[in-house]
Amino acid sequence: MSTAQLAAGAPVPAVDRTVVGENLSLPLFRALSGTLAGHPYLKVVVDRAEGTWHVLDTAAHPFHVDYVATRILGMDLAELDASLDEFNASVYMDPGRRFLLGVLSLHTDEDAEGRERTFLVLETTEADTMHAELLEYFHAFVRERVDARLPLLLKPANHGQEEELVAVSEQRVPRILSHELFGTRTRTPLNTGEATGRLRCFGSVEEYEAAAAGLGWSDIVAMPCLPDDVQRVAGFVNTAPITPLSHTNVLASGWGIPNAIVRDLPEIAERDGLDGAWVRYRVQDDDVTLERLEHAPELEAPVWHQQRIRLEPPLLEDAPVLALHRLRSADRDRYGTKAANLGELHHVLDSRSADLTAFHGRPRPPRENLYGHLAARLGLNGPSSDELRAAATSFVAGTVEAPDGVALPFSLQHRFLTSVPALQQGLGKLKMALELEATDVLDPLCLQIQQLIRNAPMPESVAHEIVRAFPGPLAAGDRLVVRSSSNAEDLPGFSAAGVYDSVTTARGTDELLDAVRQVWASLLSPRSVRLRHQVGISLDDTYMGVIIQVYVPAALGGVLVTCNPTRREDFRNVYLNCSAGSPEQVVEGAVLPHQYLYNTVEGGGRTVALGSPIEGQPDGMRSRLADLSLTGRLLQSHFSAPDVDAPLDIEWLLTDQGDFRLVQIRPYAL
């Protein structure tokens, strides 16, 4: 989609080389094209009324609609700004439209015999709703006017176009899907940024662990798949595919360090001797580079102290074990952020009083707001503000549910810790070591304290409060899930993704109490203590609440973030990952999931990658995932307030009964 105001401020070259009505040779293509994600591309406009096409000079015309409005229809930019959404609808959604807008890109790969082949790809914007007849016409029109020696493949821009083309022969319209075109990309940005450091390449987790003690803040770690407990360094490089929603990329985003998939790094590192060399590593939206430096640069130590995270003092007076639905966000100082957010979700779904339209109410120049788009998505025509709010809350409540369970307060952990003198002594030594920056004794102290927590007897009064919270499931031998809910996780700037423990297989009283102690102990792991210390979170201020739930089997599970992680300026799309089974498989990287982008403004979605499964989700499920994505966007208005543009990270599952359940909501660090 275009933004005319941006185009108005862009410098226009002295010579505009746009051509009208001419056939497109390969030299002309290259002369007019720009580069996107490493591929030459240019924009085309087919005028059905005139029976001709316009091949745009990319440097002169960054937006299709600006060109159509000003150069063909004689409008000025002010007129276009005033009716931009209506104009976009006329060129992207009207089934009888005059103009067909697309992009031609040039690609090279290998055929089945290993020979290089060059081909063209034609696609529309992701919000375009062309039906099958228009898609076939568009492809045939362009096919007649480009170099006949080059294959021309149509790439459906969204799931709707894929479904439209099902009935069209691939002989008539040869095509390629997005995940087929980009699924084998050599380099894929995950988190943008730049770092200068020493490149350290590892072939396995075992190799990394053997060298981890010698790694520092100036190292850039490269390996097929980084472990979730990777320490804080200057940058990450993955030499095998992962998803942007993996724990390690969440860490990279929170730490503000570059991260990318660079499949050819092992060959390049061996050829150029990069392992152990100093490099400048840049990850941009459409490019990833590693430049070897001849000499070790002078680097200043990272100023992590400027990223200090301040916590409200935890409330440690006795508090009851409460059902999640009785909590609100303000209870995070007693029960932890995760439990408080789930309690707030219950309130939003049950009360239906929250304003879930605030994100769509923000100005998106030249638009005053996106209320009209939201109304269309909810099936409304010209609603009042109250009607739109009511429809949004009803849509969310009808799409997802909140999980049941109970939350243990910080006071139970505090009573347990103060009941064991050896634990008090160990914690005192740990505080002293942190104050003196005695890093050589941190790990042994943390491990000793963890061992004490796991094995110390639990005071009878504490054990009684835990057990009586779940009498029915314990008596029945139900499988229980025991999860962390610290006040030092799920925070803006400190997600602590993958840092604390969860236990998903507890049965009976003894296993439940052991699982609670294990979650408590994870608060004192060497890694968690170091990470909190680096951002200024005091050990005295950190406590662990616990969530206990009955295990719910999942037919499908995953994560969505209410942004496009690889294009931060994109306010339309949310990124959704899913795979069969629980969401833990996705966030822990156990499987490479299906990856989708869903447009929460104009609607529609597209497949980014299929991951480990061979086939994607069926059409009906993809439609439901679109509703789930819009729900995430609407919840952002409430959970990110007052900065409703701040994205959320949401874990979800689909129960065996076919219901979507949200199991975690937290800020997503950009």
Side-chain angles (χ1 to χ4, degrees), residues 65-111:
V65 296
D66 290 350
Y67 178 86
V68 172
T70 61
R71 296 301 181 92
I72 301 179
L73 300 180
M75 299 170 62
D76 61 36
L77 290 176
E79 288 180 87
L80 179 59
D81 278 357
S83 60
L84 183 59
D85 287 331
E86 293 82 358
F87 192 89
N88 280 336
S90 74
V91 294
Y92 292 121
M93 299 168 191
D94 184 348
R97 70 193 74 168
R98 171 181 171 181
F99 301 105
L100 306 180
L101 315 185
V103 171
L104 266 176
S105 53
L106 188 67
H107 298 260
T108 302
D109 66 5
E110 293 183 351
D111 62 19

Side-chain angles (χ1 to χ4, degrees), residues 12 40 90 119 208 211 251 265 299 348 427 456 529 581:
V12 178
S90 74
F119 59 98
Y208 164 80
L251 290 174
L265 181 63
L299 299 177
V348 168
L427 289 170
V529 169

Side-chain angles (χ1 to χ4, degrees), residues 208-280:
Y208 164 80
E209 290 175 343
L215 295 175
W217 57 265
S218 61
D219 289 314
I220 297 169
V221 175
M223 56 192 298
C225 185
L226 289 97
D228 283 348
D229 62 354
V230 63
Q231 65 190 70
R232 191 166 187 167
V233 290
F236 296 156
V237 186
N238 301 267
T239 59
I242 67 164
T243 166
L245 304 189
S246 66
H247 268 159
T248 51
N249 199 49
V250 172
L251 290 174
S253 178
W255 292 341
I257 62 175
N259 188 22
I261 301 168
V262 184
R263 290 184 171 187
D264 57 349
L265 181 63
E267 295 80 14
I268 294 173
E270 182 175 356
R271 183 191 69 203
D272 298 338
L274 292 183
D275 189 11
W278 288 89
V279 300
R280 182 170 291 110

Side-chain angles (χ1 to χ4, degrees), residues 159 377 395 399-400 555-561 574-580 593-600 604-607 609 616-633 652-654 658-662:
H159 294 150
R377 294 296 309 279
F395 177 85
T399 304
V400 300
L556 193 70
V559 181
L560 71 87
V561 294
V574 306
Y575 202 92
L576 184 145
N577 286 187
C578 64
S579 69
H594 295 144
Q595 301 173 44
Y596 300 108
L597 274 172
Y598 284 101
N599 184 323
T600 59
R606 58 189 173 94
T607 303
Q617 297 297 321
D619 295 344
M621 179 53 65
R622 293 193 306 199
S623 177
R624 294 195 64 195
L625 292 176
D627 289 346
L628 177 64
S629 299
L630 179 57
T631 292
R633 176 69 84 202
W652 58 271
L653 58 83
L654 182 70
D659 300 316
F660 282 125
R661 182 170 298 178
L662 307 188

Side-chain angles (χ1 to χ4, degrees), residues 319-328 331 334-335 339 404-409 412 465 469-470 546-548:
V321 177
L322 288 181
L324 288 175
H325 71 264
R326 296 182 60 187
L327 300 181
R328 294 292 301 275
D331 292 312
R334 286 187 176 87
Y335 296 88
D404 294 324
V406 299
L408 309 186
L412 290 184
E465 289 193 43
F470 253 48
V546 177
I547 298 171
I548 305 173

Side-chain angles (χ1 to χ4, degrees), residues 382-403:
S384 67
S385 296
D386 289 344
E387 289 171 336
L388 187 61
R389 289 185 180 186
T393 55
S394 294
F395 177 85
V396 169
T399 304
V400 300
E401 58 186 37

